[in-house]
Amino acid sequence: MNIRKIRFIEPGERPYKNTILNHFVYDRYIRTPSVGLNMLATIVKKEYPDTYMYSEAISKIVKKDVLDADVIFIGIFTFNANRGYQIARYFKKHTKAVVVMGGLHATMNYREAARYCDYVLLGEGDESILELLHALKRGEQPAFPGLAYLKKGKLKMTGKRQPPENIDGIADRRLVYQYHKRVHYNTIWPQVHASRGCPHNCDYCALVRLYGHRVRTRSVEDVINDIRYSLDFFNSGPFPRMLRGLWLTDDNFFADREWAMAVLRGIIDSGIRTNFTVQARYEVGFDDEMLVLLKKAGFFQLAMGIEFIDDAEFNTFHKKSTVEEIRRAIKNIKRHGISVRGLFILGGDQDREGIGERLADFVIENGIKGVLIQSMYFVPGTPVYEKNRDRLLHENWSKYNGCVVHYPKNISPYQLQLEHIYASKKIYSWKRLLLALVREDWIHKLLFVGEFFWHRSICMDLEEELPYLKQISESWKVPEEG
């Protein structure tokens, strides 16, 4: 096969459109493009010069450019899987290209994904993507581990592939169509992913199933260079940014403590000055040495995966936390001058009517600066998905974006959706918006305004689902105690 032209596509749950909302509301028609897919395009570009990427998070796909591609890669998560399948069907019908799907959802649900493409690239594709292209170029049937495909209607799976050990490499953001023209939007942030894997085993987490329990890290020098490059890319756009910052998107940046501290010291020594944020488990709140380094390196906020506000819920989903420990961790993080953003899940077995108010009160009482609230998230292949398959309302993946998609144990789907809306509106009320504008420093003022409009947008989407959820909840009854 003659491989001359390769295109990468990131589907959008809502494909990009030009609107004033893009300046205020993240994840409606704009979001930061996938760093992972961008990294794969960068790897391929070194051997195949005519390589380019489209992300519907920031632009429309120029179909005319893709129609004569030889190979098309499409990366999907669960929430954008339906759109990904639609794109795959279109290009299978209108091109002669080999269509390859990959990403979290395709890996976890390859039996489904294989119906829409020629090959499914499983797991991390840093090494296997070139092996696939080399096999296609030689005209051979790819046989290396980490591939799934249909042959004469039967599913073939070549076995599990070991994850790459060397994950150094900087994604070339200029390979993404229109990216540089969008960087003045404060709704998208520079992102760097510095490590992969997590030693914990929370039942609802899909990423540990993708990356594994063993933590693999990039070299400190590579991370610092990526941070510098990403900041330069965002700060050299056509218009100045109001908010200068960077998000380290690691699932558990602090899992390898010595490495994390080395990265922080590297940032300090590099002279880079920006506002950093990173995801964290609550345990970092008890590590004063780490918190001192975080503050010195410029970290103004930690996005903490709190998830639940009930100890029994933590036990149910094998998350090692307690509410009291989380409260103490938040207090100590704030004592070091770093704010906390809380990530929460609704719809666990302990949730009952009133959980929305309890959640909102927990956020306000503990001085949490921002929140992400999602109803229980079911990704095929995770323990929580397998355990609750008979309780799912449907498998319309476009609704697996924080909306209620299952029958909870002690509250109806309709009421749970109302609790989500209530919590969001109480946390992001007009009164609290005014208080933030008066009391907070400039960066938290700006963030609260953005999150205020973002949550209003989320509530609009949640409210659209209420008639459907009310209808299916009519026959639902709360189980009797005992």
Side-chain angles (χ1 to χ4, degrees):
M1 175 182 179
N2 182 27
I3 299 178
R4 176 186 56 85
K5 185 175 184 177
I6 299 172
R7 292 296 179 261
F8 287 77
I9 297 175
E10 178 187 18
E13 178 194 357
R14 287 189 184 93
Y16 176 86
K17 75 175 185 180
N18 190 17
T19 168
I20 192 69
L21 290 175
N22 293 337
H23 289 279
F24 306 102
V25 183
Y26 178 79
D27 209 13
R28 195 162 191 87
Y29 304 113
I30 192 169
R31 63 185 291 138
T32 309
S34 166
V35 176
L37 194 64
N38 190 186
M39 187 66 234
L40 294 182
T42 303
I43 292 169
V44 169
K45 172 78 172 180
K46 294 176 182 177
E47 287 199 25
Y48 299 88
D50 194 354
T51 296
Y52 206 50
M53 174 176 164
Y54 292 96
S55 171
E56 288 193 310
I58 57 167
S59 74
K60 294 182 178 180
I61 301 168
V62 181
K63 290 182 180 178
K64 184 179 179 180
D65 175 57
V66 184
L67 287 173
D68 63 344
D70 300 302
V71 183
I72 300 170
F73 290 96
I74 303 171
I76 57 173
F77 290 89
T78 297
F79 69 89
N80 66 359
N82 287 358
R83 174 60 179 162
Y85 296 150
Q86 181 185 32
I87 292 171
R89 281 196 302 264
Y90 177 86
F91 287 115
K92 282 286 290 178
K93 181 178 180 180
H94 293 92
T95 76
K96 297 180 180 179
V98 174
V99 177
V100 183
M101 303 198 80
L104 176 63
H105 185 84
T107 295
M108 303 286 282
N109 203 14
Y110 61 86
R111 291 176 178 83
E112 175 187 273
R115 303 200 301 264
Y116 300 92
C117 59
D118 295 296
Y119 297 99
V120 180
L121 199 62
L122 305 173
E124 302 168 55
D126 305 54
E127 298 169 345
S128 57
I129 194 165
L130 289 177
E131 290 185 33
L132 174 59
L133 290 171
H134 294 162
L136 294 175
K137 191 174 181 178
R138 293 191 300 265
E140 300 174 355
Q141 174 65 58
F144 57 83
L147 207 63
Y149 56 93
L150 292 177
K151 186 174 183 179
K152 295 182 179 180
K154 293 185 178 181
L155 181 69
K156 304 290 183 179
M157 196 275 204
T158 59
K160 185 176 180 181
R161 187 181 186 91
Q162 292 302 310
E165 292 296 326
N166 181 4
I167 59 172
D168 276 5
I170 298 174
D172 181 358
R173 276 71 167 178
R174 293 186 182 273
L175 285 181
V176 185
Y177 177 66
Q178 297 286 11
Y179 198 178
H180 195 245
K181 292 184 178 180
R182 305 283 188 252
V183 296
H184 64 283
Y185 288 99
N186 289 297
T187 41
I188 62 176
W189 278 48
Q191 295 183 358
V192 169
H193 203 79
S195 65
R196 302 178 193 175
C198 178
H200 301 284
N201 201 36
C202 303
D203 285 356
Y204 44 80
C205 181
L207 290 170
V208 73
R209 275 85 204 173
L210 178 68
Y211 292 132
H213 292 288
R214 188 169 60 84
V215 178
R216 289 161 291 131
T217 60
R218 293 168 64 184
S219 67
V220 173
E221 181 182 11
D222 195 55
V223 174
I224 301 303
N225 288 338
D226 199 354
I227 290 171
R228 197 186 303 278
Y229 164 71
S230 187
L231 289 172
D232 288 345
F233 177 77
F234 266 73
N235 294 332
S236 63
F239 304 100
R241 288 175 60 84
M242 290 178 62
L243 179 58
R244 298 202 169 205
L246 184 139
W247 180 20
L248 283 178
T249 57
D250 298 45
D251 308 304
N252 194 341
F253 177 78
F254 304 99
D256 185 332
R257 184 177 184 273
E258 293 307 312
W259 170 83
M261 294 182 73
V263 171
L264 295 177
R265 293 190 184 101
I267 293 172
I268 295 166
D269 294 341
S270 72
I272 294 171
R273 297 291 178 265
T274 197
N275 299 293
F276 288 96
T277 185
V278 66
Q279 295 176 162
R281 282 177 55 95
Y282 78 94
E283 291 96 337
V284 74
F286 303 124
D287 191 336
D288 289 313
E289 186 180 6
M290 185 76 77
L291 292 171
V292 169
L293 279 178
L294 283 164
K295 182 65 176 177
K296 191 174 181 181
F299 285 75
F300 75 98
Q301 183 183 73
L302 298 181
M304 185 183 293
I306 298 171
E307 270 87 63
F308 308 108
I309 54 172
D310 189 300
D311 286 350
E313 212 76 272
F314 291 129
N315 293 330
T316 298
F317 296 102
H318 301 105
K319 183 176 175 71
K320 297 178 181 179
S321 303
T322 69
V323 175
E324 181 55 34
E325 285 178 328
I326 288 170
R327 288 182 187 274
R328 291 194 296 112
I330 292 171
K331 186 176 182 180
N332 195 44
I333 291 167
K334 289 165 60 180
R335 187 175 67 83
H336 283 270
I338 301 171
S339 66
V340 172
R341 185 170 188 267
L343 314 180
F344 296 94
I345 297 173
L346 291 176
D349 289 347
Q350 308 303 318
D351 287 350
R352 291 172 170 79
E353 190 169 341
I355 183 60
E357 184 168 20
R358 288 179 56 215
L359 174 56
D361 290 344
F362 180 90
V363 169
I364 295 168
E365 290 168 5
N366 287 281
I368 295 173
K369 295 296 186 184
V371 300
L372 168 64
I373 305 171
Q374 291 189 313
S375 293
M376 184 59 69
Y377 199 72
F378 299 91
V379 176
T382 59
V384 72
Y385 175 86
E386 299 301 332
K387 183 179 178 180
N388 293 281
R389 292 184 72 163
D390 59 340
R391 294 166 63 184
L392 296 178
L393 306 180
H394 54 73
E395 289 191 346
N396 178 358
W397 303 127
S398 65
K399 303 297 183 183
Y400 282 55
N401 59 356
C403 184
V404 176
V405 297
H406 79 300
Y407 289 98
K409 186 176 181 181
N410 290 303
I411 186 172
S412 74
Y414 173 72
Q415 185 61 42
L416 182 62
Q417 191 93 326
L418 288 176
E419 298 290 341
H420 186 163
I421 294 167
Y422 178 88
S424 182
K425 289 188 173 181
K426 183 171 183 179
I427 295 166
Y428 291 96
S429 66
W430 286 100
K431 179 181 177 181
R432 296 196 76 233
L433 174 62
L434 292 174
L435 287 174
L437 292 174
V438 171
R439 296 177 179 176
E440 299 292 353
D441 57 33
W442 73 269
I443 193 168
H444 287 100
K445 280 184 173 69
L446 190 60
L447 289 176
F448 198 97
V449 169
E451 295 227 349
F452 178 88
F453 287 109
W454 179 46
H455 276 261
R456 294 283 154 160
S457 172
I458 290 172
C459 286
M460 286 173 57
D461 292 339
L462 296 177
E463 287 164 354
E464 287 180 2
E465 289 295 303
L466 286 175
Y468 164 72
L469 292 173
K470 186 174 184 179
Q471 181 182 4
I472 65 170
S473 297
E474 288 176 353
S475 61
W476 185 94
K477 296 184 183 298
V478 177
E480 295 182 6
E481 294 292 339

